[in-house]
Amino acid sequence: MREKILEKANELFLNIGFKSVTMDEIASASGISKKTIYKYYKNKTELVAEVTEFMFSRICNGINMICELKKDPIEEIFDIKRLIMSNLKDEKSSPQYQLQKYYPKIYTSLNKKQFGVMKECVIENLNEGIKQDFYRKDIDVEFIARIYFSGMLSIKDKDLFPLNDYSMNTLMDKYLQYHLRGICTEKGLQQLENQLKQK
């Protein structure tokens, strides 16, 4: 039952937003009473915390599976982008913005965990890209990894990039191109063009 509540809450939070969804709506969508939800979660904040952890774990597992395939670094980065978009959807509800505004402690905790995982993943991708001659040998890997994470946070800022003007999918595509064109060798740029043609 807990898993069912999590799945349904996750779907509603992504589609409508963390603040906008009520416990009544989650109960109704799950086909259970609100009282049943409160058997597992004492309040909405606790449910939001578990849903964000659930989403984070699901995405991390997916990223690990992609990395284990040992594809070339540019293909890998696009596969990870597709995984994230399929999990987070391309919604107009700006769930991250609502999480930051209404559940700042949960947002901060999630951000720290995301930075740890993403930094490790990006550093590995950069080092592999340098080794395989897709990325330039003169790049500062640690610096690029931090800039990459910082940029990822920025494109999710709805004040900077209003969702009425940019879909999240478009923003991710533009950002990946921006990132890769700054670090790629000729070989890397060729592979980037191949990836863009496949879209």
Side-chain angles (χ1 to χ4, degrees):
M1 182 56 73
R2 195 181 189 98
E3 183 83 7
K4 183 183 179 183
I5 295 167
L6 270 180
E7 285 279 3
K8 201 45 77 173
N10 181 41
E11 186 185 314
L12 289 170
F13 287 148
L14 287 176
N15 286 321
I16 304 168
F18 287 100
K19 170 70 174 165
S20 311
V21 176
T22 66
M23 294 296 256
D24 282 314
E25 286 169 321
I26 295 166
S28 174
S30 306
I32 57 173
S33 69
K34 194 160 69 166
K35 196 175 165 186
T36 305
I37 295 179
Y38 285 117
K39 271 188 0 194
Y40 297 95
Y41 303 98
K42 64 179 182 222
N43 54 42
K44 186 178 167 186
T45 302
E46 197 176 274
L47 178 57
V48 167
E50 192 156 331
V51 165
T52 56
E53 187 59 46
F54 172 75
M55 282 194 289
F56 178 72
S57 297
R58 180 187 273 180
I59 291 170
C60 284
N61 290 337
I63 289 172
N64 289 338
M65 285 166 71
I66 289 169
C67 293
E68 281 167 16
L69 296 174
K70 300 289 180 199
K71 294 183 176 182
D72 79 64
I74 292 172
E75 191 175 354
E76 179 181 275
I77 224 171
F78 274 92
D79 281 353
I80 289 170
K81 176 249 171 187
R82 282 187 281 272
L83 168 85
I84 290 169
M85 289 313 302
S86 72
N87 276 278
L88 298 184
K89 304 186 168 81
D90 193 19
E91 305 303 340
K92 299 282 185 189
S93 63
S94 189
Q96 177 150 327
Y97 174 79
Q98 286 196 9
L99 191 65
Q100 184 177 7
K101 186 172 181 182
Y102 300 105
Y103 302 94
K105 282 184 181 169
I106 296 171
Y107 175 81
T108 303
S109 165
L110 183 65
N111 243 17
K112 282 181 186 164
K113 284 191 281 192
Q114 279 179 329
F115 177 65
V117 169
M118 192 185 261
K119 185 181 168 203
E120 190 180 312
C121 179
V122 173
I123 285 176
E124 206 172 297
N125 181 277
L126 290 168
N127 284 327
E128 201 53 44
I130 292 168
K131 205 192 312 183
Q132 294 180 35
D133 195 35
F134 284 101
Y135 305 149
R136 298 194 329 267
K137 291 190 174 7
D138 63 343
I139 62 171
D140 182 328
V141 169
E142 179 75 25
F143 174 77
I144 298 287
R146 287 173 183 272
I147 285 287
Y148 182 78
F149 182 74
S150 168
M152 275 294 184
L153 287 182
S154 293
I155 64 170
K156 290 173 186 167
D157 182 332
K158 78 177 193 76
D159 293 324
L160 270 179
F161 298 101
L163 287 171
N164 289 333
D165 300 337
Y166 303 93
S167 75
M168 190 47 69
N169 199 44
T170 300
L171 284 171
M172 292 272 282
D173 276 344
K174 286 181 183 295
Y175 183 63
L176 279 188
Q177 282 194 62
Y178 177 80
H179 165 69
L180 290 168
R181 289 188 191 283
I183 63 173
C184 276
T185 58
E186 281 302 317
K187 179 183 172 184
L189 288 172
Q190 200 172 344
Q191 177 60 347
L192 171 59
E193 293 303 331
N194 291 340
Q195 279 296 316
L196 295 173
K197 280 177 195 159
Q198 286 174 33
K199 282 201 315 165

